[in-house]
Amino acid sequence: MKNLITIILIFTAILLMVSCGLKQTEIKQAIQTDLPPSLTEKDNGIFLIHLTEKEQKELSVQTKQVKCTYVNYSISAPGVVFPAHGHVSLISSPINGQVLQINVHEGDWVTKGQELFRIQSLEFGTLISEYLQAKAEENFQTNRLARLEQLVKETISSASELDKATAEYQRASTLAKSAYAKLKAVGVPDKEITTFRDAINFDPTLKIYAPINGVIEKNFVELGQSVNALENLSRVLDTKQVLIKGYISPNEAQYVMAGDSVTISKREQPDSDIYGKITSINPGLDEESRSVIINILIPTSNGWPKPGESLRLAIASKTQKEIISIPMEALTYDGNQAIVFVKKSNKIFEKRIIQVTNIRDKFVFTEAGLTTDEEIAITKVFSLKALSRFDNSSEE
């Protein structure tokens, strides 16, 4: 009797297990029948979106083929205009004295060698006096040496006297050269130094000349003012050429090199463009702006741009190696992941995660996730994204 009961219990358990298995199979089949046509399970990490014929017609997704190539792009940067090196000069007084005459005023155009100031100075008078004394001594020793050389030839004077005269001549000549160098150091031209030797009297007034062509930007002194040595008198700007400094981020600096073309425009008038090229790039970061500074030397056009002006720069550059770029409209994000939709057929798109390395203008650069000649969706991207999210929720 006990064996019979045991057999009945085992048979009943088997019937219950078979019945549960059939019900689960029916449930799965029902779910698969009710899911939308666009649903596709993930297979090895690949997520495919199947479109129905109706969805194909409604979306009409446009695609673009991916290429690995050099990409031209533009980098925008602010810029500030500075006087160009060699085209600006500070005029200073080389000696102590008093401003006796001011020949130019702010805004005046001056040419190289034009007289700007006159400085009356006792120090300058002393320099002239030392030079004249040194030249007189040099002339005397020159004549004395010539006489002694003749007397030695005639055996009238001894060789020791000639040696002594030669040494004294060399000393006088050295002092004359030193006095001449002092006058040159304070800016006295050779023509004026020559007149000192021929003049009966001399005026201890130092003339200050313009070292470059340009415009007097500012005078720092007034008539009759006492000035010290190396004190600034004026500033001359040659505005025919200027230096534009552009400020770009360290990340952007890696895509820029000397020789790249630059479009320069006014901030308030973007249509007034002039063009130049990057002359050089500073190797380090600017301490104040924490930016990399690019330098652009350009000639001005009708007096523009002017030193101190703020400008807008557009740097035309290209990638330093072949890289895959995609249009900005092809990119979207799923959480923190950058994704695109790769066309597999007219009905199937693959949701693909890519690695974005940089975004420039209307292009996105990527080094992982895509291969050349693949086609990606550039329209209806958000619709495809919505379908992929609906599929995900359905799978769950």
Side-chain angles (χ1 to χ4, degrees):
M1 185 65 180
K2 291 181 179 179
N3 292 336
L4 181 60
I5 294 173
T6 303
I7 293 171
I8 293 172
L9 290 174
I10 293 172
F11 182 74
T12 303
I14 291 172
L15 289 175
L16 289 173
M17 291 174 64
V18 172
S19 176
C20 290
L22 290 173
K23 288 183 179 179
Q24 288 179 0
T25 302
E26 292 174 357
I27 292 171
K28 288 184 178 179
Q29 289 177 351
I31 293 175
Q32 290 175 354
T33 302
D34 294 338
L35 287 179
S38 59
L39 175 61
T40 302
E41 294 183 356
K42 292 183 180 178
D43 183 17
N44 297 327
I46 299 176
F47 188 84
L48 300 179
I49 302 172
H50 288 253
L51 302 179
T52 63
E53 292 184 2
K54 180 180 179 181
E55 288 171 339
Q56 290 180 57
K57 292 179 181 180
E58 289 179 350
L59 295 179
S60 298
V61 179
Q62 297 180 14
T63 61
K64 183 174 183 179
Q65 195 173 50
V66 172
K67 293 293 183 182
C68 185
T69 184
Y70 292 100
V71 181
N72 296 322
Y73 58 91
S74 178
I75 296 176
S76 298
V80 179
V81 186
F82 294 86
H85 301 301
H87 292 261
V88 58
S89 179
L90 278 173
I91 314 299
S92 58
S93 174
I95 56 176
N96 299 326
Q98 185 181 37
V99 179
L100 183 66
Q101 189 172 325
I102 300 176
N103 298 325
V104 291
H105 303 282
E106 295 175 2
D108 289 347
W109 176 265
V110 297
T111 57
K112 183 178 180 179
Q114 180 178 338
E115 182 182 324
L116 305 180
F117 300 92
R118 289 194 179 188
I119 306 296
Q120 191 175 45
S121 172
L122 293 176
E123 289 185 16
F124 183 55
T126 302
L127 293 178
I128 298 174
S129 177
E130 290 177 356
Y131 172 73
L132 294 177
Q133 291 179 31
K135 287 300 293 183
E137 181 66 18
E138 182 186 32
N139 292 335
F140 171 76
Q141 294 298 340
T142 300
N143 295 331
R144 179 168 176 256
L145 180 60
R147 289 196 302 271
L148 282 174
E149 287 176 346
Q150 184 63 33
L151 292 175
V152 169
K153 287 181 180 180
E154 296 174 359
T155 66
I156 298 176
S157 296
S158 63
S160 61
E161 290 180 348
L162 179 60
D163 292 340
K164 182 179 179 181
T166 301
E168 290 178 351
Y169 163 75
Q170 291 175 346
R171 177 176 177 275
S173 178
T174 301
L175 291 174
K177 291 177 181 178
S178 175
Y180 170 80
K182 290 179 181 179
L183 289 175
K184 292 293 292 182
V186 298
V188 183
D190 289 332
K191 183 178 180 180
E192 191 172 340
I193 293 175
T194 302
T195 62
F196 292 153
R197 298 200 301 264
D198 301 331
I200 299 176
N201 296 312
F202 60 85
D203 182 13
T205 301
L206 176 64
K207 299 175 183 178
I208 307 295
Y209 300 95
I212 61 172
N213 298 330
V215 177
I216 300 296
E217 182 196 27
K218 186 174 181 60
N219 282 339
F220 301 105
V221 294
E222 300 292 341
L223 191 64
Q225 180 178 335
S226 296
V227 293
N228 298 320
L230 305 181
E231 184 174 343
N232 291 334
L233 305 176
S234 183
R235 177 181 165 98
V236 179
L237 291 180
D238 181 2
T239 54
K240 291 182 178 179
Q241 188 177 45
V242 293
L243 170 66
I244 299 176
K245 292 186 177 182
Y247 301 86
I248 60 178
S249 69
N251 290 335
E252 293 175 327
Q254 61 182 319
Y255 299 104
V256 174
M257 62 182 64
D260 286 347
S261 299
V262 183
T263 302
I264 303 159
S265 59
K266 297 180 180 179
R267 288 183 175 273
E268 64 278 7
Q269 298 178 5
D271 295 333
S272 57
D273 296 339
I274 58 175
Y275 303 93
K277 291 186 176 182
I278 296 177
T279 308
S280 61
I281 303 175
N282 291 12
L285 292 180
D286 179 61
E287 293 183 359
E288 295 182 2
S289 63
R290 306 306 297 171
S291 302
V292 175
I293 296 179
I294 60 171
N295 303 304
I296 307 162
L297 277 172
I298 62 165
T300 57
S301 176
N302 298 322
W304 184 80
K306 298 182 181 297
E309 189 173 2
S310 296
L311 302 174
R312 188 187 305 275
L313 309 180
I315 305 164
S317 188
K318 69 176 182 179
T319 54
Q320 299 179 8
K321 63 179 181 180
E322 292 183 339
I323 194 170
I324 290 179
S325 67
I326 62 174
M328 181 74 75
E329 54 268 23
L331 177 70
T332 186
Y333 284 86
D334 188 358
N336 294 326
Q337 294 178 328
I339 60 171
V340 294
F341 293 93
V342 181
K343 182 179 180 181
K344 293 299 184 179
S345 69
N346 291 333
K347 296 181 179 181
I348 302 174
F349 283 86
E350 177 190 342
K351 177 177 156 184
R352 182 85 59 82
I353 298 173
I354 64 171
Q355 180 182 346
V356 175
T357 57
N358 209 336
I359 297 177
R360 287 274 146 250
D361 295 337
K362 299 180 180 180
F363 296 100
V364 178
F365 299 156
T366 176
E367 293 184 352
L370 291 172
T371 57
T372 188
D373 294 334
E374 286 189 310
E375 290 188 30
I376 58 173
I378 58 174
T379 63
K380 307 299 181 180
V381 172
F382 290 102
S383 297
L384 293 173
K385 180 179 177 182
L387 284 174
S388 70
R389 286 183 173 178
F390 176 70
D391 294 346
N392 278 331
S393 62
S394 299
E395 286 182 0
E396 293 173 358

